[in-house]
Amino acid sequence: MTPQFLAVLPAILLIAITFDLIRRRPRRGLYFGVTTGPGFAASPEGRAIARRYRFLVWFGCLLAIAVAYFAFPPLGPLLLVAIGLMAWLRAWRRSSHYAAQPGSIRSAPLQYDERISSWVTPLLLAAFLVLGLTAVALQLNYSSLPDRLPIHYGISGKADVFRGKSYITVFLPLLIGVIVTALLALNVYGIAFGSRRGGSPETQAFRTEQRRFLSRLLAVLAFGISLLFAYISLSPIVSEVGLPGGPWVILAFTIGIVGFALYAVLRWQEHAGASGDDTPDSCWKGGLIYYNAADPALMVERRDGLGYTPNFAQPLAWAIVALVAALVLTPVFLYSA
């Protein structure tokens, strides 16, 4: 087994598990993004759709592992994502034949939810403070850094790719950390200011609880990610050839963050399944993309029970997507330069 294959194998398994789990606890009355009624998931037709979906996901997992092992390792996760989306769309299309009458379009003013935890904003500020202090430390120690910096580590823990010292190679990991933290913060306040508050009392209570849960989770993840990228960025100050404790420290930290997020999501989905949805089926494309010009909301709840997706009928949603794309591509352009 090559080091590259061993590096992508956990990602392939995590993607497969994620695709499998999102169909296990659908929100009440929803099945693969379709309003079908509470009992459809347990019906023979519903179970048959789930079996085919699960077969495609895990067949895709085996195929992705084979491609990663025998051909090009980075292609494995991408192939599995494509197969997983195809399996979802196929299940959505079959579920659409059993669609029930959709609920009415919700209406309520956009407003900030004051019940979002008071410690979310301070924790986000603390994440940016960690990154800022890291930038100061890098600048103060820039002249003493080695002329060649490691930018990649093999599976053995030894540095195998080096680049000459420059502000890009020194500060690029920190910039990535800032961008990821900023994207998480953007999600927190997009949910707080742009999501809807209306609907039945039960649906409204669910929305409030979901906003509180997601804001807390994203803030904790932002702080953890800021610590991770601070550690990565400061490693050249500590050693010329590797990280203290080796790159396994980064791997363990990353697995810890992902594991915490996955555990929190699974626990929340148990509660999320108790709530229905009152958006019209006709405004959901493939059960994944929401487009409703009659809905003033910028963000709406995803139909898999967790998270939000933009209302692409709102021009501001496209502006946010463009901003996110620009932030994500900035490190790529800087590295290629």
Side-chain angles (χ1 to χ4, degrees):
M1 294 186 182
T2 65
Q4 292 79 8
F5 171 75
L6 293 176
V8 302
L9 181 59
I12 293 175
L13 295 176
L14 181 61
I15 293 170
I17 292 171
T18 301
F19 271 111
D20 191 0
L21 289 176
I22 61 175
R23 61 96 190 171
R24 289 178 178 268
R25 296 187 179 94
R27 290 173 62 185
R28 190 182 63 188
L30 295 173
Y31 203 61
F32 288 101
V34 178
T35 304
T36 55
F40 180 73
S43 69
E45 297 84 359
R47 290 197 298 267
I49 293 172
R51 283 196 302 268
R52 295 187 186 98
Y53 171 80
R54 194 179 186 193
F55 170 79
L56 285 176
V57 167
W58 288 105
F59 173 78
C61 179
L62 295 176
L63 183 60
I65 291 175
V67 169
Y69 184 81
F70 293 106
F72 185 53
L75 184 60
L78 297 177
L79 177 63
L80 180 54
V81 169
I83 293 175
L85 289 175
M86 180 192 69
W88 172 275
L89 292 175
R90 185 176 184 273
W92 167 78
R93 189 178 301 109
R94 294 180 64 87
S95 301
S96 298
H97 297 305
Y98 305 94
Q101 184 69 26
S104 59
I105 298 178
R106 50 194 162 163
S107 60
L110 295 175
Q111 59 183 2
Y112 180 69
D113 188 345
E114 296 180 354
R115 286 176 287 181
I116 288 180
S117 301
S118 59
W119 52 264
V120 166
T121 295
L123 191 59
L124 290 173
L125 293 175
F128 285 107
L129 178 62
V130 168
L131 297 170
L133 293 176
T134 303
V136 172
L138 287 175
Q139 180 61 42
L140 293 176
N141 292 274
Y142 183 82
S143 59
S144 61
L145 294 176
D147 293 331
R148 295 174 69 247
L149 298 174
I151 63 170
H152 185 270
Y153 295 86
I155 199 70
S156 64
K158 298 293 185 181
D160 53 13
V161 179
F162 293 82
R163 289 289 183 270
K165 182 175 70 174
S166 69
Y167 275 99
I168 290 180
T169 54
V170 171
F171 284 93
L172 185 59
L174 186 63
L175 175 62
I176 295 174
V178 171
I179 290 174
V180 174
T181 304
L183 290 177
L184 292 173
L186 182 65
N187 272 276
V188 169
Y189 293 107
I191 292 170
F193 289 99
S195 61
R196 298 298 301 274
R197 269 60 173 171
S200 65
E202 178 191 28
T203 302
Q204 189 172 1
F206 166 77
R207 289 175 182 150
T208 298
E209 290 301 316
Q210 177 163 272
R211 283 191 296 272
R212 295 181 66 187
F213 166 76
L214 283 178
S215 64
R216 293 171 176 174
L217 177 61
L218 293 176
V220 171
L221 290 178
F223 186 74
I225 287 172
S226 71
L227 294 176
L228 173 63
F229 278 94
Y231 178 84
I232 296 172
S233 301
L234 293 174
S235 61
I237 298 177
V238 181
S239 172
E240 292 187 27
V241 295
L243 301 174
W248 295 107
V249 174
I250 294 178
L251 180 60
F253 206 135
T254 304
I255 292 176
I257 293 175
V258 174
F260 166 76
L262 187 60
Y263 172 77
V265 166
L266 293 178
R267 289 293 304 271
W268 171 254
Q269 278 193 322
E270 295 178 1
H271 172 66
S275 174
D277 183 89
D278 55 6
T279 54
D281 281 10
S282 60
C283 296
W284 286 93
K285 316 304 178 185
L288 299 171
I289 299 174
Y290 185 70
Y291 188 97
N292 185 359
D295 191 338
L298 176 64
M299 308 285 288
V300 295
E301 302 90 349
R302 292 167 53 91
R303 285 200 156 188
D304 56 15
L306 177 70
Y308 288 76
T309 185
N311 177 8
F312 286 97
Q314 300 296 331
L316 183 56
W318 290 99
I320 293 176
V321 170
L323 174 62
V324 170
L327 290 174
V328 171
L329 292 176
T330 296
V332 177
F333 289 132
L334 289 176
Y335 183 77
S336 62

